[in-house]
Amino acid sequence: MKDAPAILGRQQTLEKCMAALAAGGGVLVTGPAGIGKSALLDAIGSACAAAGQLVLRSASSAAESWLPYLGLYDLFSDAVAARPEVVPYHLRPAFDGVLLRSVPDGAATDQLAIRVAVVEALRALSAERPVLLILDDVNCLDSATAEVLAFAVRRRQGSRVRVLAAERLSEGQEPTWWGLLPEDAVEIALGNLPGPVVSELLRTRLGLRPTDKLSQRIRDASGGNPFYALELGRSALRSGTVVHAGDPLLVPERLRGLLADRLHALPKAAREALLVIATAARPPRELLAGHEWGLSQALASGIIVSGRDLEPRFAHPLMREIVYADADVEARRACHAKLARAHDDPLERARHHALATAEATEELAAELEEAARIAVHRGAPGTAAELFRMAAERTPTEGGGGDSGAARASGASGAAAGVADGMSEVKPDEAGGGSRAGGVGDVVSAPAGSDVSAGSGASGVSSASGVSSASASPDASSVPAARAAGRLLEAARAAFDAGLPRQAREAAESVASGPDPASRVGARLLLVELDDDIAAQAVLLEAAEADAAGSPELRARVSLQRADHAYRSGNIDAALEALRRAEEYALATGDRNLRAESIAMRVPAEIQADPERAIESLEQAEALGAGRDLTLPSIAVRKALIIWFLRRGDVADALATAARLRADVERAGRLRDLGDVLHLVASVNERAGLCRQAHEAASLGSRLRAETGSSSVQALILAAAGELNGGTAEAAADVAQRAIEAGTVSGDSEYTGYAHAFLGRAELLLDRTSQAAHHLARGRTLMRNVGMVDPATFLVDADLAESLARCGSFTAADRILDEAQEMARRLERDVVRLGLTRARLLRHGLAGDAREAADRLRDALPAEHPYPLEIALAVVTLGERPRRARRRAAARAAWESAATAYAAAGCGPWLRFVQGRLERLDSPAEPLSATERQIVELVRSGATNRQIAAALQVSVKAVEGNLTRLFRRFGVSSRAELAGAEPARAERTERV
């Protein structure tokens, strides 16, 4: 492919991108602003289109990122207009609304319908020809589109749909948008261009000769950034200024000025049109009427380019920012006022109304608040956070309302003023969802099996949710301040749900230092969710308790959070007492959500203490939340129900319920909650023997937890679970060790226990038995300290007993098995009995008759099991007994059967473990079985295969199979070599 000026110096990079896409994967191009990402995407898109592929492109910008589904409009508006049949008929109304092909009716957007519509459209389009999705400036993609695309990419079929994205990264930053690309996607980072390439770029684009002094100075000053170089060159040529040696070229400081100078050269008519384009993501066409000549001047200067449907857009996002910043305040407000009148969508209308005036009025604040609630209903909590913040800023703090001094001075008013600057960077496109709270601390396991746990049966229902600022009944003079604080707290919660921890923390800290006690409680409880440190959480809870005095609702929420904190600290008595108080307060309030939340938090504990009561509590909690929107209490109840199903062995019900919950949380845009739900999804899939799905869910959940501000130990726990399901034992051990360190520092006993247990599993797979026994025992102790005594919670007992037995600690192994069997009998946990039987018989085989133990284990194997891989693990243990008895054929049959099961499940770590066992059977270091020893002796005596078969009373085929394995073991290729060259080696091996 011939170099084009736009990709000068990027030929190898271009070829690498094309090769990665041709392989059926995806490519994420990263680099700083101006480095040439868009130009590279243009070149790749043109090449793919020329090859007959369908190229769908989205070009996002920060100014547009708050608008839901703008990215979907960019990608699909033309394709669906040309081929409406690619979207199934029943999904078209929802998708038409997103693409603005129908008039919005104000109804809630059907999030699932949109996601499925995109999946079906891509399948239909890719059935005819390959489809390439190009996502330029993906870091500015609106959150609603990002969620839909992540959903669709996970469900892409084959390699006919590929993704090419560009993410702007500053030096030292890591990519954060992998969720929008296929799992096998590669990152290609663009660095600065070498000096000679920059010089050539200036020559081909601007006619500057590389030997010119000006060209050399620009090349050096640009630092290899092609955008900076070209802008500096254009400005220098336009001005005709002679640059002398020693004159500074301060690129970072002067680049904006150079661009502004370029813009100022345009006539006034052009600048007016550019301001409309800069102010609105997609300005209504009527607002550009009469500006055709000015737009043509801007187009000719290269400031704007003509997009799809001849829509004008800026050639670079920086120009948009300059145009908007350089306009005076009144011009910007007038432009926003026009847009507010022109837009029907309540979100856009409210935002433009706010930006059209500096007044702080209750009418405007209420409009923004209502728009924020619509954004929440549409599954865009990031947008909601921005609108709630604006509502707080525009809430008057004086009785008369009007234009307060604070609002005029800082764009904020009242309680919101303290964080106006910090929250101004909230980016609605960084959407996420839900809090850890509401999550029940459920941990995924290795294929040997752990379900989800619930802390001591309960950890994690959020009490940060739903605190009303009106609960403390402030007097009339404090109502405006309380209202402003309440709206800012809503902004913090929405940012928290959207996975924007920094913005959530800034707003919550401002509210926590404000005058309204009720809002302070909510803010402090949210800060508890945002803090890893158990000790720091305790201080926040003490302050929240003091502010909650006199309000049963607030005291209920503080008590709920205290119960969670106590569980994770290992203080079970304090947790139960806090939970008892929470239920009393919740009952006194009559709040259905509070009661459901309280019940949901105690259900996991009841599952392992009083199973019959647990199901009654679940039914009661479900009834309290029936017919309501998705809330943290309803999420917690459904999680508890999944745990109930899983521990009873009702895996099909657990899978179905987990899948529905995941879909609902995704549809609501609650990425914070999604991290916790994916934890459960991974657990359920692992227990169901679906390790590929478990690995996918755990890996995504780990990334979400890390990106949305969850504690580091929680993110690491899920990463370890993913490695144990579909990665490597070595990687799992490394991640689990880091999780132990993080959990120890934070004081989180619950998750530190999980980390030890995972590390023990990894050590088992690495054949480090004593280390495995140590970590499994430590994990079991920590989990029991937080009340987790149900043997079906985390399948640690059988693995620990096996490890102890292999280390010769038979008495300790017997104690572990006796305790687990008694608890399994009391709780009717039939699902754990096979594992306990397997461990018991291995212990007997090591201490007594191995053949009898193997026969008993073989007889105990069921045809089916709720946790299919429990059978595979028992078969692995079964193979140990005949190997030790030198019955290698039986061992081989057992391990080949287990390998088949692990391969079908997609469980790489256990598959490699079993394959290693099979390889050892063919190792010269492995003792010869009695049959193999006889075959070697008969071969040495000159017997034929038929004579050997007759002597041993086996088939000739069996003899041939044994000889093949013997040849491989001893590195020979004939009977003569086996008989003559290796007899001494065979005898030495036999003695070993």
Side-chain angles (χ1 to χ4, degrees), residues 124-209:
L125 291 170
S126 64
E128 297 182 356
R129 52 177 170 159
V131 174
L132 176 64
L133 299 179
I134 297 182
L135 309 176
D136 199 0
D137 278 331
V138 68
N139 43 292
C140 296
L141 190 66
D142 67 276
S143 60
T145 294
E147 293 158 11
V148 173
L149 291 180
F151 178 92
V153 168
R154 286 195 301 272
R155 288 158 178 82
R156 73 177 192 134
Q157 296 180 344
S159 60
R160 301 275 288 181
V161 176
R162 295 161 301 157
V163 183
L164 172 65
E167 179 176 359
R168 181 183 302 180
L169 294 180
S170 299
E171 185 176 354
Q173 287 184 320
E174 293 293 328
T176 58
W177 290 88
W178 285 113
L180 297 182
L181 288 96
E183 282 192 358
D184 54 352
V186 299
E187 178 191 358
I188 296 179
L190 295 187
N192 294 325
L193 293 174
V197 175
V198 175
S199 295
E200 181 64 9
L201 179 66
L202 293 171
R203 185 190 67 80
T204 56
R205 297 292 295 272
L206 302 179
L208 290 173
R209 292 176 296 179

Side-chain angles (χ1 to χ4, degrees), residues 442-444 450-452 646 679-687:
D442 305 303
V443 177
V444 206
S450 69
D451 84 338
V452 292
L646 201 56
H679 204 157
L680 262 175
V681 170
S683 296
V684 173
N685 278 283
E686 178 268 311
R687 291 285 178 94

Side-chain angles (χ1 to χ4, degrees), residues 470-507:
S471 300
S473 301
D475 57 52
S477 62
S478 64
V479 167
R483 188 177 291 130
R487 285 165 175 162
L488 190 56
L489 180 57
E490 291 285 3
R493 289 193 195 112
F496 182 80
D497 286 343
L500 304 169
R502 180 177 62 81
Q503 290 87 339
R505 179 180 293 277
E506 289 171 347

Side-chain angles (χ1 to χ4, degrees), residues 935-960:
I935 290 175
V936 170
E937 292 172 353
L938 288 168
V939 168
R940 196 176 300 162
S941 70
T944 65
N945 287 0
R946 187 173 298 278
Q947 289 169 334
I948 295 172
L952 300 181
Q953 296 184 339
V954 297
S955 68
V956 173
K957 186 174 182 180
V959 174
E960 292 172 348

Side-chain angles (χ1 to χ4, degrees), residues 122 346 349 465 567 586 596 609 631 826 986:
L122 287 174
R349 185 171 59 245
S465 145
Y567 273 130
T631 62
R826 185 175 71 79

